[in-house]
Amino acid sequence: MADSFMGKAATMEIPINSNGETLAEDDSLEQAAKIQWTLDEKDLQQVMVSGPNLNETSIVSGGYGGPAGGIIPTSSIKGPAIHFNPQYVDRRRPHAPNWSGMHHSNSNQNMSVEEANRGVAVEKLDSVKKWGINTYKCTKQMFSERFGRGSRTVDLELEAQIDVLRDTKRKYESVLRLTSALTSHFYNMVQTQQALGDTFADLSQKSPELRDEFGYNAETQKLLCRNGEVLLGAINFFVSSINTLVNKTMEDTLMTIKLYEAARLEFDAYRADLEELSLGPRDAATMVRIEVSQQQYQVQRDKYERLRSDVTIKLKFLEENKVKVMHKQLLLFHNAISAYFAGNQQQLEQTLRQFNVKLKPPGSDKPSWLEES
């Protein structure tokens, strides 16, 4: 139908006037365009209704009245296939989360956390097990020694030095306690002398008839108070040095001795366990236990030897330090006490300068107004 109409449109006559101009040119062209639009609309409706396959559609080329060869079937057009490339996905649009991947990652994390917790629990269990075995062996060895059924490793020379140190520490603690009490009593006496001297001075101003007598006693008490403060500084220095020697130096050595004694008990416990296994049957299981026991015995032996060496060295240095410190402190204490009770103020002050004892200024022991507030 369209072809016949296009054929007619190609052969229809166009009237012209005597001047060669066309008549009703605009009307004829407009009418032809309307007819062509109506035909194209009908063809499009037919295509939409019938729903042909894309491979069966055609492409029309050319103008009105064109040859039939202008109709090209799309099945004859070949081109590259269209593939989906995720690289060109529009990333501005949100995509649905991958819930399966997230669940898989969460499950992996939970498994790793559980494995870590399990490893920590196993490690703690092993440590508790080793501690229990070690405690049982040491307790067994301790009771065996107390009841005379087991043997113990004894270093006679070292044990004698340890006993001397403990006895010396007890005596030095007694000296420290007594000198601390002396310091407290002497401090109270100095404070009493100072208050008494102030009272005498006040009475000398208010009692004209006894002004000289009160004045002499006030000066004497003030002089004793000043000398007492100097002696108090010397005694405080002595007490501080003895306290450092007893509660720090000796205590550090005794802590090392305690570690040594614990290592000795463990060493004897594993030694007794190895001796007991060696006296038993020699089957395969027992040989394995003997080998393990020998390794543990060697570890405890090395620990015991190391701590014994540490104790020997510390005892040696402690004795040297004790002699040096006590020689200085005893000489200071003797010279200060002698000079004070002899009333030799110059000798007392010279003694403190000789031993580099610095006296605190009066009132330094009192808290400041900031501390009081």
Side-chain angles (χ1 to χ4, degrees):
M1 176 179 171
D3 295 338
S4 63
F5 176 77
M6 293 177 65
K8 291 179 180 181
T11 57
M12 69 185 311
E13 296 179 353
I14 303 173
I16 59 176
N17 58 8
S18 59
N19 294 330
E21 296 176 355
T22 59
L23 298 176
E25 182 178 2
D26 296 337
D27 296 338
S28 61
L29 291 175
E30 183 178 0
Q31 184 178 4
K34 289 181 178 180
I35 294 172
Q36 181 64 28
W37 174 258
T38 305
L39 292 175
D40 292 338
E41 186 177 2
K42 290 181 179 181
D43 294 338
L44 182 60
Q45 291 177 356
Q46 291 179 2
V47 169
M48 294 294 292
V49 172
S50 60
N53 191 356
L54 290 177
N55 294 329
E56 298 176 357
T57 59
S58 301
I59 300 175
V60 180
S61 64
Y64 294 106
I71 302 174
I72 304 172
T74 58
S75 60
S76 64
I77 300 175
K78 296 181 179 180
I82 300 175
H83 301 280
F84 174 74
N85 191 351
Q87 182 179 1
Y88 301 100
V89 175
D90 188 5
R91 300 185 182 276
R92 294 174 297 175
R93 300 177 60 187
H95 299 280
N98 189 1
W99 297 107
S100 61
M102 294 177 63
H103 178 71
H104 184 65
S105 62
N106 291 333
S107 62
N108 290 336
Q109 293 179 358
N110 294 333
M111 291 178 62
S112 62
V113 171
E114 291 178 358
E115 290 178 356
N117 294 334
R118 189 180 299 109
V120 172
V122 171
E123 184 178 358
K124 290 183 177 179
L125 183 61
D126 291 339
S127 63
V128 171
K129 181 180 178 181
K130 291 179 181 179
W131 174 83
I133 295 174
N134 186 43
T135 304
Y136 167 75
K137 291 183 178 180
C138 293
T139 306
K140 180 181 178 182
Q141 176 65 24
M142 181 177 61
F143 280 105
S144 297
E145 292 177 1
R146 287 189 177 183
F147 290 105
R149 298 178 181 178
S151 61
R152 54 170 297 181
T153 303
V154 179
D155 189 339
L156 297 178
E157 183 180 359
L158 186 60
E159 293 291 337
Q161 294 179 3
I162 292 175
D163 293 338
V164 170
L165 173 60
R166 286 174 174 163
D167 184 65
T168 303
K169 186 173 183 293
R170 285 192 296 267
K171 293 179 179 180
Y172 275 54
E173 286 175 347
S174 178
V175 172
L176 179 61
R177 183 174 61 255
L178 294 174
T179 51
S180 298
L182 176 63
T183 303
S184 178
H185 297 322
F186 193 76
Y187 174 79
N188 293 329
M189 187 186 72
V190 170
Q191 294 299 317
T192 304
Q193 288 176 345
Q194 183 178 3
L196 186 59
D198 294 338
T199 304
F200 285 157
D202 184 62
L203 290 174
S204 67
Q205 299 295 331
K206 296 180 181 180
S207 302
E209 66 279 3
L210 297 174
R211 179 179 301 174
D212 295 337
E213 288 79 0
F214 279 123
Y216 296 153
N217 282 277
E219 291 296 330
T220 303
Q221 294 300 322
K222 288 181 180 180
L223 179 61
L224 291 174
C225 181
R226 287 194 298 268
N227 293 339
E229 290 177 351
V230 176
L231 178 60
L232 193 62
I235 297 176
N236 284 330
F237 186 75
F238 178 83
V239 171
S240 177
S241 300
I242 297 298
N243 182 58
T244 302
L245 179 63
V246 172
N247 294 324
K248 291 185 178 181
T249 309
M250 290 185 179
E251 187 65 26
D252 179 72
T253 305
L254 288 175
M255 288 297 297
T256 307
I257 291 174
K258 290 180 181 179
L259 295 177
Y260 158 74
E261 291 177 347
R264 197 275 312 163
L265 183 62
E266 292 179 357
F267 167 68
D268 286 337
Y270 282 92
R271 177 182 55 81
D273 186 55
L274 179 61
E275 292 176 355
E276 183 178 356
L277 289 175
S278 301
L279 296 176
R282 296 300 183 93
D283 54 355
T286 306
M287 293 302 296
V288 172
R289 293 179 59 187
I290 290 176
E291 183 177 358
V292 174
S293 180
Q294 286 178 347
Q295 295 176 359
Q296 295 175 348
Y297 166 77
Q298 188 63 35
V299 171
Q300 297 299 327
R301 180 179 180 179
D302 295 339
K303 181 180 178 181
Y304 166 73
E305 294 290 342
R306 184 181 67 254
L307 287 173
R308 184 175 65 176
S309 177
D310 293 342
V311 170
T312 303
I313 294 173
K314 284 194 174 185
L315 285 174
K316 179 180 178 181
F317 284 113
L318 175 62
E319 185 66 23
E320 295 177 357
N321 188 29
K322 182 191 71 174
V323 172
K324 181 179 178 180
V325 170
M326 293 306 300
H327 174 76
K328 177 181 178 180
Q329 295 302 319
L330 291 174
L331 187 60
L332 168 66
F333 189 80
H334 174 268
N335 293 342
I337 293 290
S338 301
Y340 172 78
F341 285 100
N344 192 344
Q345 183 180 1
Q346 295 180 355
Q347 182 66 29
L348 181 61
E349 294 177 353
Q350 183 180 356
T351 301
L352 267 66
R353 287 194 299 268
Q354 179 183 356
F355 292 96
N356 297 322
V357 178
K358 296 181 180 180
L359 296 178
K360 296 181 180 180
S364 61
D365 295 336
K366 297 181 180 179
S368 63
W369 62 274
L370 288 175
E371 295 175 348
E372 290 178 352
S373 60

